[in-house]
Amino acid sequence: MSRAMLSQIELGQSTPTINVLWKIARALGVPFSALISDQSLGGTSLILAARAKVLTSHDGSFTSRALFPFDVPRTVEFYEITLAPLATEHADPHPPGTVENLVVTAGTLEMVVGAERHVLATGDAIMFDADVPHQYRNPTDQQVILYLVMTYIEKTG
């Protein structure tokens, strides 16, 4: 990624894709959520769906919505993910010790973790070490909705 692109993102002149944000977070050594969250003062937090930040892949086939604010150090992040029909999203390895736990709430998901391939139907869940390349694939013509809990070995935020 060029310095000019980073500058445009920083100045709000360009909107980064999910993949670009993941790469920036990895380069900075911070969790993905640190780049998408608003800091608040604590207490009760209400996250209205209509005002949520939804990050979308460059082609619009993959969306990710943080389901809680990131205002205190934490080891867990919670996301709602949607994947369009026949779409695939590739994920770079996360820091060592990172674990992903997800459950499919609608549709069928093919999850590839390293060299392993798993097919999950509605209601199925999977937990895996996310420090290897992995991908989310929708092999059907129906949208997939899943909820993802990402757990880090060290506190972030």
Side-chain angles (χ1 to χ4, degrees), residues 1-10 14-28 35 92:
M1 179 179 326
S2 69
R3 289 181 184 173
M5 174 61 111
L6 284 174
S7 178
Q8 288 176 348
I9 292 168
E10 184 178 37
S14 178
T15 304
T17 64
I18 290 174
N19 286 337
V20 168
L21 283 177
W22 278 114
K23 288 176 184 177
I24 292 170
R26 282 194 73 205
L28 294 174
L35 301 180
D92 291 331

Side-chain angles (χ1 to χ4, degrees), residues 64-125:
S64 174
R65 176 173 69 109
L67 297 175
F68 63 97
F70 300 96
D71 57 352
V72 295
R74 68 206 165 279
T75 57
V76 177
E77 297 173 352
F78 184 38
Y79 298 95
E80 176 185 60
I81 308 288
T82 62
L83 191 58
L86 305 174
T88 300
E89 181 67 19
H90 298 271
D92 291 331
H94 300 295
T98 303
V99 174
E100 287 192 20
N101 187 348
L102 62 88
V103 60
V104 177
T105 59
T108 300
L109 175 72
E110 181 180 307
M111 193 72 221
V112 179
V113 181
E116 298 176 4
R117 180 183 162 276
H118 307 277
V119 177
L120 292 85
T122 300
D124 292 344

Side-chain angles (χ1 to χ4, degrees), residues 22 26 91-101 111 113-114 127-134 136 148-152:
W22 278 114
R26 282 194 73 205
D92 291 331
H94 300 295
T98 303
V99 174
E100 287 192 20
N101 187 348
M111 193 72 221
V113 181
M127 187 166 82
F128 61 92
D129 294 332
D131 54 3
V132 297
H134 49 285
Y136 312 86
L148 168 66
V149 176
M150 190 163 336
T151 306
Y152 298 97

